[in-house]
Structure formats: C-alpha cells, structure tokens
C-alpha cells in the first residue's frame, strides 16, 4: 500500500525524532521537524553503546559501522577503590557517541525541514489536525504530531501533566582526548566496557570515536553519585549565578565548589579511574530521572522514545528503544492499511517493551548504586532491549 | 536595655535585608548578610514610590531626600487608548529607584560582612543555633536567621514549602533617558504619577532619579498585561534559548517575537504612552505573583518582607512593608527585655499589616486589570501601608 498523505510534524529533533522523520520522508510523507534548540544539537561527547536499533537507519543508508564506532572485546568488573578484578566477560560491543549518531542523521535530513528555535508552548487537536504553538510566536499545523522531545517532554507534559521523577542519583560525565592520560591508563580502558563498582554509586568507562576521526578514539566515563533530594541536590544543581537548574549543570557554569568535590572524591579511587576524573577537561553533571506513561497514542499526538517512557541509562538501550519506537511508528504510517488499528497494536507492543525496559534498568540501578551483587555476565543485566511477546505490527511487504 | 549578644544572619541582601542588618549592626549586634547573587544587586532601573518606611533609615543617616528622589504634584488618571482625562488629584509623592535605595544602603553597609554568591540550599536549627548551607559548599551558623530573600524565598520554601502563585498577569518595565522621547511627551509624564487605564490591563508612568544625578530624571513605566497561564504565559516566558524562565525575562534574552508583540500592541495606545513603549531601549517582562504565610516566626528563623507576604505592587508600598518588618524586627532585638514575647507581638502586628496590604493590592488589581471603576482619589486605593490596630511592640526608650 502507499504511505499516508497526511502531513506529519515531529516535535523534537534529536535521534529518535530524526529517525522517524527520515523514514517518513524516504517513504514520501510530508514531514517537518521542530526543534527547541536554536542550533543543531550537541551531546557534549556523551558515549552510547551501539544497539542494532540505534544504527539500523544509518547502516541502511550505507554508513559504515567502522566510521561511527569503535570496538571492544570484553566487559570488565572492577572494584573502583581497590582495583580488584571482580570478573571479566568476553563481549564484542561497539561504542559510538551522541554526536556521531545525531550528526549522521542530521546530515541526511538536512536543515530545510529542520526548524530550530521552535520551543513548543501549546498543543491542541481536533478530528483532522493538530495545532502547535511555539515560543517564537509562530504556529504550525499537521495531521499528526510525533512527540519526540525527550525526557523533559513538553508534549507529554501538555497531554498528561507528567514530568520525570528524580531517581535519587546524578551522573557526572567526562571525556578524555588521547594524551590526556598516560598510556597505561588509556590501555586499561581501551577495547573494553569497564564497570567501576562502589558501595555507594558506580562508574563506567569505555572508548568512543574521535570527534574528527573515528579511528582516533576518546575515552568516555560516567560516575553515578547518590545525592539526596533537598539541600544536597540543590547544592549540586545550583550554578555559579545562583540559579537552581532542573536537569544539567554544564562545566562552564558549575559551582567551583562542586568541581572541587568531584576532584577530591576522585582522589580516593583506584588509579585508572582517578586519572579519568582528575584529567577530564570539562566534566558536567546531570540528574537521573524516570517517567512513564500508559498510553503513547493520544488522538493525533503520538509519544515516542524518552518522551513516552524515560528510562535510566544502565542497560545502554534508551536510544535503541527510542529508535525502535520511531522506526516502527514510521512503518505504521507507510506500510499499513488500517492506520488506527495498527497504531493500537504499535502502542501495545512499544509500551510493553518500554515498561519492561524501565523495570530492567531500575533493577540494575538498585544493585549498581547500592553495592548490591552485580554478577559479571548475568543475563538479567545484559545490555539491550528486553524481548517482548507481541509481534511487530508491521509486515515488511 | 542592651542589644542581643546573639549572632544574627540575614539571608537575602536586598533592601529589607540590608535595612535589618544596618540597624542591628548600628546597635552593636554581630550580623552577616548572605546574598545569592555573585555581585551587588541591580534593579534594572525599576522605579519605587517613596513611602516613609522605605527611606526611614537612609534619612536617619543624613541622606537628603532630594539626592535620591524626584517630586510630583499630582496623580493623573487617563484612558490609555483615547487620552481622555478621567481625573486628576493633587499629590506630593516623591519617586526613587531601586538602585538609589539599594545603592545607598549597600554603601553604608559595605562589602565586608556582605557575602555574595551565597545561595541558600539548606537550613536546620536546634535550640541554640541555625545552621545554613550554601550552594558554594560553605556553611554558616548563627543564633537567628532573618529570611529576607524576597518573593521567591528559599527560606520560606524550606520552612513551609510555600511558593508564589501566579496572579494572572505580567508587567513589562521600561526606562527612558532624557532625549529618548520628545519634550511634550516628557512633560506629559514629568512631575506626576500617571495611570493609563485600559479594559484589559493598565499602565503606570512616573519620573525617577537619574542614574548619576538625581536632578536629571529618567521616565519609568510599567504595562500590566493579563496573560493566561499555559501556552500564552509559556510563550512569553520562554527565552531565546528555549528555556522557560520562572520569574523574569530580561531584555537581552527576550524572544524577538515577544518584543515585536510588545511594540505592536503599543501602537494602539494614546501617543504619550505609545512613545514610552516604542522608545524604551531595554524593556523586560516579569510575572506578578502572590504568596502569604500565617507565621513569620519559626523557631529561630524569622521571615520578613516579600519572603513572608509577597504582595502585588499596586499600592506602592511593598518595599515599605519590607522595611517596616526589618526596622521593627531590629528593634525587637535591640530594645526589648522579653525577646520571645516581643517576637510574638511583632509577628502579630506585622502579619496583620502584611495580610491587610495583600488584600488591598488584590482589590486594586481586580479593578485595574479588568477595566473596573478606579475612582481618582478613592482612599481605598491610596498608596501606602494600611493602618493596623496593633501598636508597635517597640518602645523607643
């Protein structure tokens, strides 16, 4: 059958929004992307473990996996204070970065129908169309809106009043260029995914592609801290101007005190981890938060990715879930006869997957953040999306 | 009797906090001020009508009223669309600016015990002391804390969980230098307090002292717009970066669309008002919000000014209320035998005054913002603090 002739608007121009928009456009659908940010996005060097769903579209377009990712041969489990090796499991993951994936998708989509500075403030719908209002005073209309605006989704908030709930911990992120740590430290982390286990929080570290050249990798790490809501969290999330920020405090507006605390806590770590913490040039901090919904289809407005179910990062498949939502939704619009029926089946399957994934990462966090047993190779803690019973609603015919 | 030997901390270094701190210090009390902002404050040219309570301290120190304010001879009530004069009442108000009052107080207090970049994040107390935590990682302790941190008070939020409630309208503010409007427009507003009445909102305009030289005044105006909570308010309060700001959007981060709307709405006004709107170089917008409490004394933590009762601005005595809270509280600490008893009487009187004032400005707003009758000279709408029955607890002996 032929794709829909309806106009589709995607609110949020990050990875899942672009994936949906590209697949729809490829099939001939009239599609626009509305992105809040004044310019194309940056992930500040954030690493991502490659899952098939994440790179599906790029590989279909002939992008070489080698050009956007670096390999690994094992997962390492280490006591981050003593350096004692808890376990090691062979694993051939590949690692990429937000910038590599987003950059590839954005380059394919192009700027023409990617509208920046479009911060959604209003959303209404009738039986035929959805009306959008943006903070720059413009309006737009489409027959369908795909809400792909992430964990702090305005679309979800307008539809359901749901905002993310703080998970009780934050993550510090840092990236190191070659030469910023000694060779032995570099080799300690290269070609591996390394867990640094602690009684109160944990670290992860792995190589990601270089900014210019994938084959000259960088090292990327995260350090998860348990921080109580109230004064402790407020102290960390209040920037140098005295403003309490809701989600992230970037390096250039961190209170110097917090950076000192980051470094001073880092002093107690086993040397390779300590060297990452002390030598990262622009570490920054982000709260970890969850959100969930029990519907993704709201009339003519459809939630996908983090804008639907916002998971914690521990199973390395949040982006994969978002891209799977995007891909399957695009297929509903381009390959199905019964749109309403297909949307319902799509919602059932994707919600099942999203809820199962959220449960999985919550379980992982309850171990990882509190010194619980985190057995090397335990399949319950494996990276990736959980299997769901529902078949994909889309037939590739 | 002699003043308290207790150490007192004032959280919030604006007008009321400085007034309290200066009076306490003058009496020999050990007092520190903790201010969230990284530098001394600026009022962005905001005008203030002089009330006796506001300038009481500065005049006691020998500051000449002429040096910080400009006079008026009448209040004018004008239809802001047609220019029709609704009424005129003789009135010898004087007008000052936030910068004049704050600057005078800050100069007297000095930087030594005025601690900047101290954003309160934590507050606890026991029977002897109050412990404060700030976002720069420092801590401080005092026997009493005076919460003078304004309408968005963190002290009040920590004590009571109370945050201000949006009043349904915003205010645009602008300031004009001599020469920025024609002489006839300047003279239209000079030497007067002018109401520009509208069916949906209102304007006020009056001269304020020049930044360098009080005798070379500027013109200051406000334009109150009714803006519905939700998309309309979100659109106005979302800045050029796509961030929804809670309180104010300053000129340099206003969405160009909102500035265009401000100017285009201004086109419909009677010429003198229109000229203010079109020629103000850096107009900015602030939400109007209320908050109230039923206690100002919370153990060893005392709320004053907007941090206790946050009123709307229409009776031109919010600063006077705050300074009266500050002055009478300082007197409780420096002139009374029975501290606990005096605090209780202080609270009773100041709460009565605060609540009565809040009721008064709400009544004024219900007329001014909705085209209700606003009779020239109606004593119910006169500027200033309401009379309260309770005597001041302080005897000047």
């Amino acid at each position: 059958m032929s794709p829909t002739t309806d106009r589709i608007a995607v609110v949020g121009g990050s990875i899942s929004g672009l994936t949906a928009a590209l697949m729809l456009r490829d099939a001939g659908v009239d599609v626009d992307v509305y992105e809040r940010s004044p310019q194309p996005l940056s992930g500040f060097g954030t690493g991502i473990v490659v899952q098939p769903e994440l790179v599906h579209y790029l590989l279909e377009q002939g992008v070489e996996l080698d050009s956007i990712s670096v390999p690994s041969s094992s997962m390492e489990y280490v006591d981050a204070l003593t350096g004692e090796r808890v376990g090691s499991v062979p694993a051939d993951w590949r690692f990429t970065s937000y910038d590599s994936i987003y950059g590839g998708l954005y380059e394919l989509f192009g700027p023409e129908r990617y509208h920046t500075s479009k911060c959604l403030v209003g959303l209404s719908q009738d039986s035929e169309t959805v009306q959008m209002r943006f903070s720059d005073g413009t309006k737009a209309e489409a027959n369908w809106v795909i809400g792909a605006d992430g964990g702090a989704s305005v679309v979800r908030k307008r539809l359901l009043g749901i905002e993310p709930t703080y998970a009780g911990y934050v993550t510090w992120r840092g990236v190191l260029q070659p030469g910023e740590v000694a060779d032995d430290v570099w080799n300690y982390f290269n070609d591996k995914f390394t867990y640094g286990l602690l009684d109160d929080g944990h670290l992860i570290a792995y190589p990601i592609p270089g900014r210019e050249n994938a084959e000259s990798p960088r090292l990327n790490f995260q350090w998860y801290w348990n921080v109580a809501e109230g004064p402790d969290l407020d102290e960390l999330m209040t920037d140098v101007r005295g403003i309490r920020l809701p989600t992230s405090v970037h390096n250039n507006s961190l209170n110097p005190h917090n950076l000192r605390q980051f470094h001073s806590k880092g002093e107690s770590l086993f040397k390779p981890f300590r060297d990452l913490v002390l030598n990262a040039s622009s570490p920054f901090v982000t709260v970890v938060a969850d959100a969930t919904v029990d519907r993704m289809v709201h009339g003519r407005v459809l939630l996908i990715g983090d804008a639907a179910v916002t998971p914690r990062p521990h199973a390395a498949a949040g982006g994969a879930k978002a891209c799977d939502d995007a891909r399957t939704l695009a297929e509903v619009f381009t390959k199905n006869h019964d749109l309403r029926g297909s949307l319902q089946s799509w919602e059932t399957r994707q919600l099942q997957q999203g809820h199962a994934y959220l449960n999985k990462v919550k379980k992982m966090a309850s171990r990882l953040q509190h010194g619980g047993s985190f057995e090397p190779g335990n399949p319950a803690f494996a990276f990736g999306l959980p299997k769901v019973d529902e078949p994909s609603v889309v037939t590739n015919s």
Side-chain angles (χ1 to χ4, degrees), chain A:
Chain A
M1 86 148 252
S2 54
T4 181
T5 55
D6 284 351
R7 274 181 304 125
I8 301 185
V10 178
V11 173
S14 186
I15 289 174
S16 66
L18 277 174
T19 299
L22 280 161
M23 289 190 61
L24 290 166
R25 195 183 65 179
D26 292 350
V29 177
D30 185 2
V31 63
D32 286 275
V33 174
Y34 298 94
E35 166 54 41
R36 182 179 88 159
S37 170
Q39 63 275 317
L41 303 173
S42 160
F44 301 100
T46 301
I48 310 183
V49 177
V50 173
Q51 301 291 340
E53 299 84 355
L54 181 76
V55 293
H56 190 118
Y57 184 82
L58 286 176
L59 301 193
E60 274 180 349
Q61 304 307 305
V63 171
E64 292 288 335
L65 194 52
D66 281 352
S67 73
I68 55 166
S69 66
V70 295
S72 73
S73 56
S74 69
M75 297 186 76
E76 305 293 332
Y77 301 73
V78 180
D79 182 315
L81 289 182
T82 64
E84 185 195 344
R85 187 161 305 269
V86 179
S88 173
V89 178
D92 58 353
W93 293 115
R94 295 194 69 96
F95 308 126
T96 183
S97 69
Y98 181 90
D99 297 327
S100 299
I101 301 294
Y102 172 80
L105 295 169
Y106 179 78
E107 196 178 307
L108 288 167
F109 191 73
E112 196 184 339
R113 305 289 289 269
Y114 190 95
H115 310 288
T116 50
S117 290
K118 297 292 176 187
C119 180
L120 189 80
V121 294
L123 191 70
S124 56
Q125 57 180 306
D126 53 38
S127 62
E128 295 295 320
T129 62
V130 188
Q131 300 85 40
M132 292 159 281
R133 269 181 64 180
F134 302 103
S135 64
D136 64 353
T138 58
K139 294 180 181 179
E141 201 178 83
N143 302 108
W144 299 88
V145 164
I146 298 176
D149 53 344
S153 173
V154 175
V155 178
R156 180 179 59 205
K157 191 180 163 193
R158 287 267 168 252
L159 289 171
L160 302 167
I162 294 174
E163 298 189 77
T165 307
Y166 178 54
Y169 55 101
V170 304
T171 180
W172 286 90
R173 293 175 188 273
V175 179
L176 293 103
Q177 308 293 333
E180 292 188 334
V181 285
D183 285 354
D184 59 332
V185 174
W186 193 275
N187 293 331
Y188 185 86
F189 293 111
N190 202 20
D191 195 39
K192 303 170 192 77
F193 183 98
T194 305
Y195 280 109
L197 304 171
L198 292 165
D199 282 343
D200 183 25
H202 74 290
L203 298 104
I204 59 173
Y206 55 97
I208 59 171
R211 189 181 293 275
E212 307 296 331
N213 175 2
E215 285 158 34
S216 169
R218 299 172 284 173
L219 284 181
N220 144 82
F221 73 93
Q222 292 186 56
W223 188 3
Y224 294 92
W225 286 10
N226 295 316
V227 178
E229 202 159 7
D232 289 344
L233 185 63
D234 288 350
E235 178 179 319
L236 188 54
M237 299 302 294
T238 300
D239 76 0
V240 281
R241 299 164 303 166
I243 315 274
R244 168 66 162 86
L245 298 175
T247 308
S248 284
V249 186
H250 285 287
N251 191 266
N252 55 10
S253 57
L254 273 174
N255 252 307
H257 156 73
N258 289 322
L259 199 56
R260 280 196 301 272
Q261 203 192 3
F262 175 68
H263 288 144
S264 111
K265 277 194 174 190
E267 292 283 359
S268 66
L269 298 175
F270 176 54
K271 182 174 185 304
F273 293 107
R274 180 171 71 223
D275 283 2
L276 294 183
V277 168
L278 298 185
N279 292 302
S281 58
S282 300
F284 67 97
V285 68
T286 303
V287 299
V288 179
D290 289 327
T292 189
V293 294
D294 51 22
R295 300 294 306 273
M296 294 165 78
V297 178
H298 299 267
R300 295 183 160 271
V301 182
L302 316 161
L303 298 173
I304 67 171
D306 279 15
V309 176
T310 310
R312 308 174 193 189
H314 313 295
K321 173 176 87 61
C323 288
D324 189 62
D325 286 348
R327 188 181 65 81
T328 52
L329 180 59
E331 290 182 342
V332 165
F333 275 110
T334 55
K335 295 187 179 168
N336 276 276
H337 295 269
D338 169 19
L339 184 56
R340 278 289 168 196
S342 298
L343 278 175
Q344 206 159 64
S345 311
W346 170 80
E347 178 185 57
T348 302
R349 179 179 181 277
Q350 300 309 117
L351 271 182
Q352 195 188 339
Q353 177 170 273
H355 292 159
Y357 185 67
L358 181 58
N359 285 339
K360 175 179 174 174
V361 291
K362 281 184 170 180
K363 264 182 211 147
M364 291 173 77
S366 73
R367 305 283 183 97
L368 283 167
Q369 284 302 98
H370 304 287
S373 71
F374 194 76
E375 309 84 3
N378 182 340
F381 305 149
F383 288 168
L385 290 175
K387 292 273 174 289
V388 290
D389 309 331
E390 299 286 328
S392 175
V393 294
V394 177
T395 52
N396 278 319
S397 61

